[in-house]
Amino acid sequence: MSINVGHIRAAVVTMRANRWRSLLTMFGIVVGVASAIVIVSIAQGVKNSITGQVNAFSKNVITVGASSQDPTGLGLTSIPFVSTLTYQDAKAIAKIPGVQVSVPLEVLSGLPTGDKTLRHGIVFATTQNLPQVLNQTLAYGAFFNDQDSNAFSAVLGSNAAIGLFNDPIPLGYSFTWRNQQFVVDGVLNSFETTPFANDTLFNNAVFIPVGAADQMSLYNNPVYQILVKVKKAALLPAVAKKIKTTLLNSHGGQADFSVLLPSQIAGSSTSILNLMTELTLGIAIVSLFVGGVGIMNVMLVSVTERMHEIGIRKAIGASNRQILMQFLIESTTVSIVGCMIGIVLAVLAIFSLRAATNLAPAMQWPVFAAAAVVSILIGIIFGSVPAIRAARKEPIDALRND
Amino acid sequence: MALIKLEDVSKLYGFGDATTLALDEVNLSINKNEFVAIMGPSGSGKSTLLNIMGLLDKPTHGTYKLQNRHVDRLRTAQAAKLRRDTIGFIFQSYNLLPRLTVLENVALPLAYKGIGQTRRLKYASSMLERVGMQNREYFYPSQLSGGQIQCAAIARALVNNPQIIIADEPTGNLDSAGSRLVMELLSEIHKMGNTIIFVTHNPELTRYATRVVYMHDGMIIHDEKTAVGEVAKTARDKMYSIAKKTVEDDLAGVSLLMNLVPEKDYETSKVPTKKKTKTRRRTSGGKNRKKRTR
């Protein structure tokens, strides 16, 4: 056992002897490490979920948005109040080479009423190709087809079915929307819900054929999005470019729309998450810094208290370097123990979140390793001032301290 | 050739009006295998001299040669190495680390030397056996008597096999039995060829020394060779001229006065029991004095 192992053992003995002081010393490190790991894990879990959804539902799908303007600057997509996209645009896009199908999503106002009124739902007018584009299947019944394009039939999202009727399988049931009766043809399977993702609104949606919606409106209904499925992934950039050209021509040269590739959709959905993660990580770093200052403070007190011991050690042959190492090892040990407690708390928090919420945090070993490295660095950096003070003390002055 | 050679060594503390001259141009030469006692009143510079000789402190002026090598301006790392390899310290207040066992305390200087745990514990154990403390290896200092702790401190001082043992009032906190144990041990170490320098206020302990150095106001005022087993002449003279100040000394003084009182008056005194006791004490003291002066 080298002298340094002895120092580690001495540090553990000191910590056990002063339990409360040690716990309070390492509190900042514990909070910093635990919060950093939990936040990064949550962020990664959400990102994984979003990426998974994009891959599952929107593979090879270009999303044409109603506006190129992004007032938040965070890439947030929202339902626009004014849209210049039309059903005709969707038809024009469908003719572009490489496009498999082009599906418009018109947003319509009004509350559908069945057994109950669907208060938190939304009505979309679309075409029969929507399930194909979203790669989604129906739980019950069938999606309306080409012949039904002008019929007053509807397909419900999973939550909308429950929100409108007392029966969980309301096939053949009718509901009223804008004084028009619609018959339920099918119910979609539930879209996987993800925090901060717009896909969740499909579960609360009522889908009706575009033809039926147009019959009921005096004006063209605003198109929220046009979902364009491309035949091959390799064609995505070229088709996106062609869509832009086509829409610019039909919109008189005005770029009042946005064309997003699948990767951009995932990116825009996660950008706010990244920002929040960075902010919280900043707070965690401040906590780690405060923890480091706490360690430095307690180590300075420890050095003062143990000045006589330092004198004895120097008198029997300890060099300045050996005394420096002793106190650095002690501060680093405190920091590492704090880090270990933080990791344990973080793992417990992650499992609790998995059990109690739909956040599904993803544990990443590099984050744990980074936490350990940062803790060691904090121990060394903040322990160095007290350690240098101890090492530089003249042996006779240290011995006189009693 | 002198093992330790101090030339015009002075030590100043403080600055300006608060400057204190702890050592005043001290010249001292100590040869190998000497057993030197340093005596003097408090504040005479004994401990300062020991600290400088032990490389715990640096002289303000003058030169210090240890093993014919200038060491008065050594760098801290070199001083630490030399201290570790050449000098063993014994302190009045023992200075064992309370959180370590006796064995770990004794092995500590070897750890700073870089010796592996097994070897250093084995060596520390043999050193404790040498001072008669092997059955207390795993005790903590708080579980031992003063004499036993000082024996452990001696074992720690010896564990690096140093040429010089520096002891600052090693018996200062011990009773007479403990003092005797420690001094006998130092005497044995001296016979093995080590050079021992110790500070004491007790003239009796000069019996163990081969040389006694007397200090006053930071200066060496007298330096005499003495035969082992005898109290040094100057110390002996000094011992009986020092004004006694303890309670026991006061009581001895009272009994001395009472002896001068006529027998008749004494018998009528209100404290008859004290007379016998004190007379006995005085008689016994006289015997001791005779023994000492023999």
Side-chain angles (χ1 to χ4, degrees):
Chain A
M1 186 174 73
S2 77
I3 184 83
N4 292 337
V5 178
H7 290 330
I8 293 171
R9 207 189 66 178
V12 173
V13 169
T14 310
M15 274 193 279
R16 286 164 95 182
N18 305 293
R19 281 192 184 88
W20 276 108
R21 190 169 83 173
S22 306
L23 271 175
L24 292 172
T25 307
M26 58 181 74
F27 185 72
I29 302 288
V30 172
V31 171
V33 167
S35 54
I37 290 175
V38 170
I39 291 299
V40 172
S41 300
I42 289 173
Q44 190 57 43
V46 173
K47 277 180 200 167
N48 289 349
S49 181
I50 291 170
T51 312
Q53 275 199 350
V54 168
N55 287 339
F57 300 137
S58 313
K59 201 177 177 186
N60 296 350
V61 173
I62 295 170
T63 306
V64 182
S67 172
S68 63
Q69 300 300 313
D70 180 7
T72 61
L74 300 169
L76 287 174
T77 51
S78 57
I79 295 171
F81 291 104
V82 180
S83 173
T84 53
L85 289 175
T86 62
Y87 185 26
Q88 301 309 316
D89 289 332
K91 284 180 177 170
I93 290 168
K95 290 174 186 163
I96 294 171
V99 172
Q100 195 175 334
V101 283
S102 168
V103 177
L105 276 173
E106 294 179 0
V107 184
L108 306 164
S109 59
L111 298 174
T113 308
D115 295 339
K116 298 174 278 185
T117 301
L118 184 66
R119 298 207 173 274
H120 302 291
I122 187 165
V123 179
F124 283 121
T126 186
T127 59
Q128 72 276 11
N129 295 319
L130 185 71
Q132 187 189 348
V133 173
L134 294 179
N135 201 21
Q136 180 63 298
T137 54
L138 278 91
Y140 313 107
F143 211 83
F144 41 79
N145 56 34
D146 220 1
Q147 281 95 42
D148 300 329
S149 61
N150 294 322
F152 295 104
S153 55
V155 172
L156 307 179
S158 55
N159 293 344
I162 299 162
L164 271 173
F165 301 103
N166 295 323
D167 192 341
I169 310 172
L171 294 181
Y173 283 44
S174 65
F175 64 89
T176 311
W177 177 71
R178 289 188 184 176
N179 299 322
Q180 175 65 50
Q181 248 189 357
F182 283 82
V183 177
V184 178
D185 273 5
V187 177
L188 283 165
N189 272 317
S190 179
F191 286 86
E192 195 181 316
T193 54
T194 313
F196 318 116
N198 285 327
D199 301 312
T200 51
L201 65 88
F202 287 152
N203 286 331
N204 293 319
V206 173
F207 299 95
I208 62 169
V210 173
D214 286 348
Q215 287 175 51
M216 296 172 65
S217 303
L218 291 172
Y219 308 102
N220 281 340
N221 294 308
V223 172
Y224 158 53
Q225 277 181 344
I226 299 169
L227 301 174
V228 184
K229 182 144 188 164
V230 178
K231 287 172 184 166
K232 285 181 194 168
L235 295 173
L236 281 167
V239 171
K241 201 175 172 185
K242 189 73 184 162
I243 290 170
K244 277 180 192 170
T245 317
T246 308
L247 290 181
L248 277 174
N249 286 338
S250 60
H251 287 226
Q254 284 193 22
D256 49 2
F257 56 87
S258 60
V259 179
L260 296 172
L261 294 171
S263 57
Q264 289 171 311
I265 288 181
S268 65
S269 302
T270 54
S271 59
I272 187 164
L273 197 68
N274 287 338
L275 187 72
M276 284 171 65
T277 308
E278 282 160 18
L279 281 172
T280 323
L281 271 177
I283 294 166
I285 288 165
V286 169
S287 175
L288 284 171
F289 182 81
V290 172
V293 172
I295 287 177
M296 184 159 75
N297 188 23
V298 171
M299 288 308 294
L300 279 170
V301 173
S302 177
V303 166
T304 309
E305 279 178 356
R306 292 161 64 189
M307 201 51 89
H308 190 68
E309 178 194 323
I310 294 165
I312 297 169
R313 286 179 183 272
K314 286 196 162 190
I316 62 173
S319 63
N320 285 4
R321 195 159 171 260
Q322 284 164 328
I323 297 290
L324 181 93
M325 283 304 292
Q326 178 188 344
F327 282 93
L328 275 184
I329 286 170
E330 282 198 27
S331 61
T332 310
T333 307
V334 170
S335 188
I336 288 174
V337 172
C339 172
M340 283 160 73
I341 295 172
I343 286 175
V344 170
L345 288 180
V347 170
L348 287 176
I350 286 168
F351 280 119
S352 304
L353 285 170
R354 275 189 182 173
T357 68
N358 66 344
L359 284 171
M363 279 196 277
Q364 296 177 98
W365 299 118
V367 177
F368 288 77
V373 170
V374 168
S375 299
I376 291 169
L377 284 177
I378 283 173
I380 292 171
I381 292 166
F382 287 94
S384 60
V385 173
I388 289 169
R389 199 176 158 206
R392 283 190 180 165
K393 196 78 181 171
E394 287 296 328
I396 189 65
D397 295 333
L399 271 173
R400 281 194 189 118
N401 266 282
D402 214 350
Chain B
M1 188 175 61
L3 181 65
I4 288 173
K5 193 171 175 65
L6 299 169
E7 286 175 355
D8 300 328
V9 166
S10 299
K11 181 69 187 178
L12 294 162
Y13 289 114
F15 55 89
D17 292 343
T19 305
T20 308
L21 184 62
L23 287 182
D24 188 3
E25 298 194 345
V26 169
N27 288 289
L28 181 66
S29 230
I30 296 171
N31 292 324
K32 200 180 167 199
N33 201 25
E34 277 195 296
F35 198 146
V36 183
I38 301 175
M39 294 191 72
S42 294
S44 59
K46 307 182 295 293
S47 294
T48 307
L49 184 64
L50 275 198
N51 291 335
I52 287 173
M53 285 195 285
L55 300 173
L56 291 175
D57 207 352
K58 287 177 182 170
T60 314
H61 304 292
T63 56
Y64 173 23
K65 281 186 187 174
L66 178 66
Q67 295 170 323
N68 211 27
R69 175 185 171 194
H70 280 280
V71 293
D72 43 83
R73 295 287 176 267
L74 276 185
R75 296 169 75 132
T76 49
Q78 290 171 307
K81 191 172 180 296
L82 199 58
R83 199 160 52 228
R84 186 189 69 201
D85 296 337
T86 318
I87 303 162
F89 285 94
I90 301 163
F91 302 93
Q92 181 182 358
S93 50
Y94 323 125
N95 283 345
L96 293 190
L97 298 182
R99 280 180 298 198
L100 302 184
T101 62
V102 165
L103 186 66
E104 288 166 336
N105 263 294
V106 174
L108 198 55
L110 296 173
Y112 288 124
K113 213 172 180 176
I115 293 171
Q117 192 195 21
T118 314
R119 269 184 66 203
R120 67 177 186 249
L121 289 183
K122 199 174 165 187
Y123 198 62
S125 180
S126 69
M127 205 50 69
L128 279 168
E129 188 181 2
R130 194 171 150 189
V131 299
M133 286 283 293
Q134 203 182 20
N135 55 349
R136 296 283 187 275
E137 278 182 357
Y138 296 101
F139 282 55
Y140 285 90
S142 58
Q143 297 168 314
L144 301 177
S145 70
Q148 287 173 325
I149 301 173
Q150 197 61 300
C151 285
I154 292 171
R156 184 181 65 183
L158 290 174
V159 80
N160 263 338
N161 199 22
Q163 268 194 293
I164 305 161
I165 302 286
I166 288 179
D168 193 354
E169 295 192 53
T171 61
N173 286 346
L174 301 177
D175 57 14
S176 55
S179 299
R180 193 170 165 186
L181 178 72
V182 167
M183 289 313 296
E184 292 292 341
L185 211 52
L186 288 177
S187 182
E188 270 180 44
I189 295 160
H190 173 241
K191 283 173 195 159
M192 307 284 282
N194 294 76
T195 306
I196 297 176
I197 307 159
F198 74 104
V199 162
T200 183
H201 286 289
N202 187 353
E204 274 293 318
L205 300 185
T206 56
R207 284 179 190 281
Y208 297 93
T210 58
R211 181 180 170 190
V212 184
V213 173
Y214 302 89
M215 294 190 72
H216 194 263
D217 287 346
M219 289 183 285
I220 293 175
I221 54 168
H222 188 62
D223 187 348
E224 72 174 292
K225 298 272 182 191
T226 177
V228 175
E230 285 185 15
V231 177
K233 186 177 177 299
T234 314
R236 191 174 59 216
D237 297 345
K238 192 83 179 161
M239 179 163 60
Y240 299 111
S241 64
I242 293 169
K244 307 285 185 176
K245 284 177 184 171
T246 63
V247 176
E248 276 198 1
D249 294 334
D250 287 346
L251 290 172
V254 169
S255 57
L256 191 71
L257 280 170
M258 288 176 84
N259 272 348
L260 298 173
V261 178
E263 192 73 15
K264 197 178 170 184
D265 294 347
Y266 170 69
E267 279 177 350
T268 58
S269 77
K270 286 178 183 174
V271 282
T273 48
K274 271 191 179 175
K275 179 196 159 192
K276 282 180 188 170
T277 320
K278 296 304 164 189
T279 312
R280 211 177 293 132
R281 283 181 72 122
R282 185 186 167 272
T283 314
S284 132
K287 273 182 189 171
N288 282 345
R289 192 180 296 177
K290 273 180 193 168
K291 271 183 195 167
R292 278 191 210 112
T293 51
R294 192 167 57 217

